[in-house]
């Protein structure tokens, strides 16, 4: 049997556009002799559709689009598996006593112009970025069983994403006579996730003694990104095929065997995630380009390099806004980098604006020394200028704050936090340096001095980040354990971290929540980001 896995980049809510992508993949698969095409989870409507699922008109539109797609594919000599929300049977609706979307997270099998069978996802994840119990009814709870159907004499069973991480759905499929497991997926990327998926699917295949194929989304949707890397494992759990990461693909599998693309190194995976996230957030949202406040520092340099890789130099504009405390090497390096990447570069000195603000405020500030107030004024002037350019030309401002800064509040509301998309919001400062050096291996687009000089916000004379924060190696290690892995203060102290630094960092994390709630969304690249999977109260006195 020849199976084709359609690794698609779909857009939430673009039902006709997504259907066209599925149809194109189906025609290509049929032309190459495939007996079956497997598409990703919710491929018809995009993932995650969130509260669109609470609108009956959305679920009805998905059903209508499915019927149109079935007719369009009627003449093709293959079965096509499509992921979509499926309306609940009326009997199930009558039994439900709570208001919820009347749908399953489902899949339909199209053949000969008809829907020949349907399947409802049984395991609904409700952790990290997942919130499926808000939207879906479990197929198990509604009395839906395994879905096994025939393709050219082969008995195939459907599973949807989380189903394959548990034993029962696969065991039920085998008990129903399945010979092959077909898994539709929308599994958001984070570092380590591709290898984790393959290991868990190998375990599932071994546990039931059946080969398994895994069709995965690719592309960006708001803050989450999907990496592709669709694959197949045999009944012994051995990898037999893998599609590339970060690109659409049609992976053909003949009797369980296919081509095996390599998994890139971690820095390359993160770079792919950032580029994909920027490209699809701006592209799918209709923004014509990006604007970046270029400071001569490493964070804005990294964001500029990502933006150019994602959008092309002609769609990226860099603006340098020197203040009285900006070192000459900062604007020299900023000009140099803009020239290397070929982007439009503008300079707007803010000295006069800064002095104008200070002059207006001096009578009110009389007797008070220069402090973070004046530092933040500079950042807010820059934010205002960038937003004015965004309003005038329609391009989106990309903010340049990293995860270490977002964690500790080392950022200015309505200043450097002003913008529409936070590219490196989930990238710790130590990883920023690693990514810069990794990107320069191919071509030195980031001037070396930017990478090597001590980080500074340059908002007062001789300022360095370590004047206000612990060394980034220490900060990021505490951040990983406390924020990402939920270690307690007591555990951190037992692991040998300095008590004063632990107290300082954890306090900053807690008191900065109000800032993070007002920050733009950003690309998730770890298993715990300051986004959908971080929901702490702003008013909070718990201190452990």
């Amino acid at each position: 049997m020849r199976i084709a896995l359609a690794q698609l980049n779909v857009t939430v809510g673009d039902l006709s556009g997504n259907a066209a992508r599925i149809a194109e993949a189906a025609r290509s698969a049929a032309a190459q002799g495939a007996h079956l095409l497997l598409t990703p989870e919710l491929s018809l409507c995009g993932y995650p559709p969130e509260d669109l699922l609470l609108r009956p008109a959305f679920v009805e539109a998905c059903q209508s689009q499915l019927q149109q797609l079935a007719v369009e594919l009627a003449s093709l000599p293959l079965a096509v598996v499509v992921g979509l929300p499926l309306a609940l049977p009326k009997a199930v609706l009558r039994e439900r006593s709570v208001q919820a979307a009347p749908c399953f997270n489902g899949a339909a099998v199209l053949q000969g112009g008809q829907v020949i069978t349907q399947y409802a996802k049984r395991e609904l994840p409700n952790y990290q970025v997942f919130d499926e119990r808000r939207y879906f009814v479990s197929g198990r709870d509604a009395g839906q069983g395994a879905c096994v159907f025939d393709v050219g004499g082969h008995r195939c069973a459907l599973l949807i994403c989380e189903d394959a991480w548990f034993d029962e759905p696969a065991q039920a499929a085998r008990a129903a006579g399945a010979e092959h497991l077909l898994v539709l997926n929308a599994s958001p990327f984070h570092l380590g996730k591709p290898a984790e998926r393959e290991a868990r699917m190998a375990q599932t295949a071994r546990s039931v003694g059946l080969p398994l194929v895994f069709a995965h989304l690719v592309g960006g949707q708001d803050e989450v990104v999907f990496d592709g890397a669709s694959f197949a494992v045999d009944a012994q759990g051995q990898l037999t095929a893998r599609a590339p990461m970060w690109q659409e693909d049609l992976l053909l599998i003949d009797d369980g065997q296919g081509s095996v693309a390599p998994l890139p190194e971690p820095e390359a995976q993160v770079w792919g995630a950032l580029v994909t996230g920027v490209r699809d957030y701006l592209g799918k949202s209709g923004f014509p380009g990006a604007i970046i406040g270029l400071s001569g520092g490493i964070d804005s340099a990294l964001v500029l390099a990502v933006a150019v890789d994602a959008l092309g130099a002609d769609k990226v504009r860099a603006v340098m806004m020197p203040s009285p405390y900006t070192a000459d090497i900062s604007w020299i390096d900023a000009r140099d980098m803009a020239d290397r990447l070929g982007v439009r570069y503008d300079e707007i000195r803010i000295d006069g604006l800064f002095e104008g603000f200070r002059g207006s405020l001096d009578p009110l500030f009389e007797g008070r020394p220069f402090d973070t107030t004046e530092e933040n004024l500079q950042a807010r002037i820059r934010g205002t200028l960038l937003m004015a350019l965004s309003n005038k030309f329609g391009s989106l401002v990309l903010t340049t704050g990293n995860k270490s800064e977002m964690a500790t509040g080392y950022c200015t509301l309505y200043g450097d936090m002003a913008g529409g998309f936070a590219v490196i919001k989930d990238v710790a400062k130590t990883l920023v340096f690693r990514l810069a050096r990794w990107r320069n291996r191919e071509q030195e687009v980031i001037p070396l001095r930017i990478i090597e000089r001590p980080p500074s916000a340059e908002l007062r004379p001789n300022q360095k980040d370590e004047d206000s924060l612990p060394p980034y190696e220490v900060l990021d290690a505490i951040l990983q354990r406390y924020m990402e892995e939920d270690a307690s203060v007591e555990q951190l102290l037992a692991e040998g971290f300095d008590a004063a630094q632990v107290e300082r960092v954890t306090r900053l994390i807690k008191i900065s929540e109000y800032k993070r709630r007002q920050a733009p969304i950003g690309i998730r690249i770890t298993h715990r980001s300051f986004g959908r999977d971080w929901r702490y109260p702003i008013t909070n006195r718990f201190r452990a």
Side-chain angles (χ1 to χ4, degrees):
M1 181 170 63
R2 172 171 279 193
I3 298 174
L5 305 185
Q7 184 164 288
L8 301 175
N9 187 347
V10 298
T11 301
V12 166
D14 183 11
L15 305 186
S16 60
N18 298 338
R21 269 185 148 77
I22 294 169
E24 181 182 4
R27 286 189 286 269
S28 178
Q32 297 178 73
H35 303 96
L36 179 141
L37 176 74
L38 184 65
T39 71
E41 181 177 10
L42 296 185
S43 54
L44 190 61
C45 65
Y47 189 95
E50 300 184 282
D51 279 12
L52 287 173
L53 292 163
L54 302 180
R55 301 185 66 85
F58 179 75
V59 178
E60 292 166 7
C62 290
Q63 310 295 136
S64 175
Q65 190 68 62
L66 180 72
Q67 295 301 323
Q68 293 177 47
L69 182 62
V71 172
E72 182 177 353
L73 302 180
S75 63
L76 296 182
L78 82 169
V80 178
V81 182
V82 179
L84 78 160
L86 295 173
L88 295 180
K90 290 182 180 179
V92 176
L93 281 172
R94 284 195 297 268
E95 294 172 4
R96 294 185 61 78
S97 59
V98 297
Q99 292 295 317
C103 63
F104 297 117
N105 183 338
V109 183
L110 308 181
Q111 193 166 35
Q114 303 294 320
V115 176
I116 63 170
T117 190
Q118 295 183 151
Y119 174 71
K121 187 175 183 178
R122 298 164 73 84
E123 304 293 344
L124 302 179
N126 231 61
Y127 55 86
Q128 292 181 351
V129 298
F130 301 106
D131 204 10
E132 291 200 10
R133 293 177 195 170
R134 174 178 172 85
Y135 303 113
F136 298 115
V137 177
S138 165
R140 179 191 295 106
D141 294 344
Q144 304 289 302
C147 175
V148 180
F149 60 100
D150 185 84
V151 178
H154 298 270
R155 301 290 287 165
C156 299
L158 296 179
L159 301 175
I160 300 178
C161 204
E162 192 82 356
D163 290 340
W165 292 73
F166 288 82
D167 293 335
E168 188 273 336
Q171 296 287 358
R174 181 181 178 184
E179 300 170 323
H180 302 268
L181 298 178
L182 314 178
V183 188
L184 301 83
N185 291 271
S187 177
F189 171 80
H190 63 71
L191 274 168
K193 191 63 177 286
E196 182 185 357
R197 281 191 217 109
E198 290 184 4
R200 186 62 186 88
M201 294 306 103
Q203 183 179 338
T204 297
R206 286 193 299 270
S207 71
V208 293
L210 297 176
L212 177 153
V213 296
F214 184 105
H216 190 215
L217 276 179
V218 67
Q221 173 59 35
D222 295 343
E223 68 191 69
V224 295
V225 287
F226 302 94
D227 52 280
S230 303
F231 62 89
V233 294
D234 62 21
Q236 291 73 47
Q238 295 298 309
L239 183 75
T240 58
R242 184 195 293 129
M245 294 183 73
W246 308 121
Q247 65 186 62
E248 289 192 299
D249 191 67
L250 189 68
L251 179 64
L252 296 174
I253 301 168
D254 287 301
D255 296 324
Q257 302 294 317
S259 59
V260 180
L263 282 181
E265 61 188 310
E267 290 82 2
Q269 291 187 27
V270 173
W271 196 268
L274 299 178
V275 167
T276 298
V278 170
R279 182 196 65 218
D280 284 357
Y281 188 79
L282 273 71
K284 293 178 180 181
S285 301
F287 291 100
I291 298 174
I292 297 163
L294 196 61
S295 69
I298 191 167
D299 295 315
S300 63
L302 189 73
V303 171
L304 180 62
V306 168
V308 170
D309 283 1
L311 307 172
D314 61 318
K315 294 184 179 179
V316 180
R317 182 175 186 174
V319 184
M320 175 67 173
M321 294 165 283
S323 81
Y325 309 109
T326 302
D328 287 347
I329 59 173
S330 294
W331 61 259
I332 291 170
D333 289 344
R335 284 184 185 178
D336 182 14
M337 184 171 179
D339 184 61
R340 294 184 190 202
L341 288 172
V343 301
R344 174 171 176 174
Y345 173 82
D346 299 285
E347 285 183 11
I348 307 172
R349 290 210 65 91
I350 67 168
D351 309 60
L353 291 169
F354 181 45
E355 290 307 315
F357 272 93
R358 292 187 68 181
S360 297
L361 291 166
D362 276 348
L364 305 178
F365 289 173
E366 185 176 0
R368 294 179 178 268
F370 184 110
D371 60 14
T372 54
T373 306
E374 286 77 14
E375 293 182 27
N376 290 339
L377 271 177
Q378 298 165 72
R380 289 179 176 132
I381 290 167
R382 289 172 174 140
T384 299
L385 295 174
L386 290 173
M387 291 308 300
L389 290 168
S390 176
N391 290 161
K392 187 63 69 176
F393 297 100
S395 294
L396 188 72
V397 175
L398 302 181
T399 66
T400 60
N402 60 63
K403 188 173 191 175
S404 308
E405 294 169 347
M406 294 300 299
T408 55
Y410 195 62
C411 46
T412 303
L413 273 175
Y414 326 120
D416 57 316
M417 293 175 68
F421 198 55
V423 179
I424 57 172
K425 182 180 181 178
D426 198 32
V427 181
K429 187 75 168 191
T430 48
L431 181 54
V432 167
F433 283 103
R434 283 166 46 202
L435 289 173
R437 294 186 184 280
W438 177 86
R439 180 61 180 83
N440 273 4
R441 278 166 32 186
E442 179 181 340
Q443 177 188 4
E444 191 176 294
V445 297
I446 302 175
L448 191 58
R449 183 165 59 185
I450 290 178
I451 300 174
E452 294 180 341
R453 63 186 294 209
S456 170
E458 294 192 326
L459 298 174
R460 66 173 185 265
N462 304 313
Q463 184 180 29
K464 293 182 176 59
D465 288 3
E466 289 189 11
D467 298 337
S468 304
L469 299 172
Y472 280 115
E473 293 77 9
V474 175
L475 170 58
D476 288 352
I478 294 173
L479 178 62
Q480 179 178 342
R481 291 289 292 124
Y482 183 79
M483 180 262 170
E484 295 181 10
E485 299 171 6
D486 288 323
S488 67
V489 169
E490 289 74 16
Q491 287 175 304
L492 293 172
L493 297 179
E495 292 167 12
F497 287 98
D498 177 77
Q501 290 179 330
V502 169
E503 169 58 26
R504 185 181 179 192
V505 172
T506 56
R507 178 180 176 276
L508 289 171
I509 291 172
K510 290 163 187 169
I511 67 173
S512 301
E513 186 62 33
Y514 81 101
K515 286 188 176 183
R516 288 190 291 269
R517 288 287 185 95
Q518 299 179 68
I521 67 165
I523 303 162
R524 177 182 185 267
I525 60 103
T526 69
H527 74 278
R528 192 78 180 280
S529 67
F530 288 119
R532 293 166 59 95
D533 42 358
W534 177 268
R535 304 182 193 181
Y536 276 79
I538 298 172
T539 306
N540 167 29
R541 292 186 179 179
F542 185 71
R543 293 289 184 263

